[in-house]
Amino acid sequence: MKDVIIKDAINKSGIKGVLTFDPDVIKTIAAIASLEIEGIYAISGGIFDGIAQKLSNKHLYKGIKVEIGSEEVSISLYLIVEYNHSIPDIYHNLKSNLQQSLEFMTGLKVQEVNVRIDGLKIYDDKEKEKEVTY
């Protein structure tokens, strides 16, 4: 994947330079910030891969798409949420956490957050885990 030039940097000492981010770095930050939100069970692989990917090295950001501009970023996420949580509340908390994490770590402004709910994590009466996706 191609690195994206984010900022031309000239500090007070007059040293020139360029700051770049690999898109996978942005996706990793977004994945970690997403999984911190109560009610989010997993990041899904999206519509082409229905297997939920928990926090793992290989598939951490498989269900995350990013578009990076010179000073801003737009994010699309595919999620599995836990049943009995308010999805609008999850969305609101997710947007806030993504904005804080990405702006702090990269300096990029979050312009847009799009979320597709790919499934629900449901627990049966015996507390056994059962995943239902639609």
Side-chain angles (χ1 to χ4, degrees):
M1 209 173 258
K2 184 179 176 187
D3 286 353
V4 178
I5 297 173
I6 301 302
K7 298 188 182 216
D8 291 325
I10 301 176
N11 65 17
K12 293 179 182 179
S13 67
I15 299 172
K16 296 179 183 181
V18 177
L19 175 61
T20 61
F21 294 101
D22 184 293
D24 288 348
V25 171
I26 305 299
K27 290 178 184 180
T28 301
I29 295 167
I32 292 168
S34 298
L35 293 172
E36 292 174 345
I37 302 303
E38 183 178 350
I40 294 179
Y41 173 72
I43 298 169
S44 171
I47 58 176
F48 299 110
D49 180 6
I51 300 169
Q53 301 297 331
K54 289 294 271 182
L55 187 61
S56 70
N57 293 335
K58 242 183 182 183
H59 302 287
L60 181 62
Y61 45 75
K62 192 168 186 172
I64 300 175
K65 311 290 182 232
V66 296
E67 292 181 28
I68 306 169
S70 61
E71 295 182 7
E72 71 282 330
V73 62
S74 295
I75 304 168
S76 296
L77 300 109
Y78 299 86
L79 302 175
I80 307 281
V81 297
E82 295 175 351
Y83 182 76
N84 214 18
H85 284 81
S86 167
I87 294 174
D89 286 349
I90 290 170
Y91 180 61
H92 173 74
N93 294 336
L94 174 62
K95 288 191 306 182
S96 177
N97 204 37
L98 285 170
Q99 180 180 18
Q100 288 177 336
S101 297
L102 284 164
E103 288 183 9
F104 171 73
M105 292 194 70
T106 67
L108 295 171
K109 300 289 181 201
V110 176
Q111 291 294 106
E112 186 174 34
V113 175
N114 300 303
V115 174
R116 177 188 164 107
I117 305 300
D118 271 353
L120 295 173
K121 182 68 172 178
I122 300 172
Y123 301 93
D124 68 13
D125 292 337
K126 297 177 185 177
E127 294 299 317
K128 287 177 127 178
E129 293 183 0
K130 176 172 67 174
E131 187 175 308
V132 179
T133 57
Y134 298 97

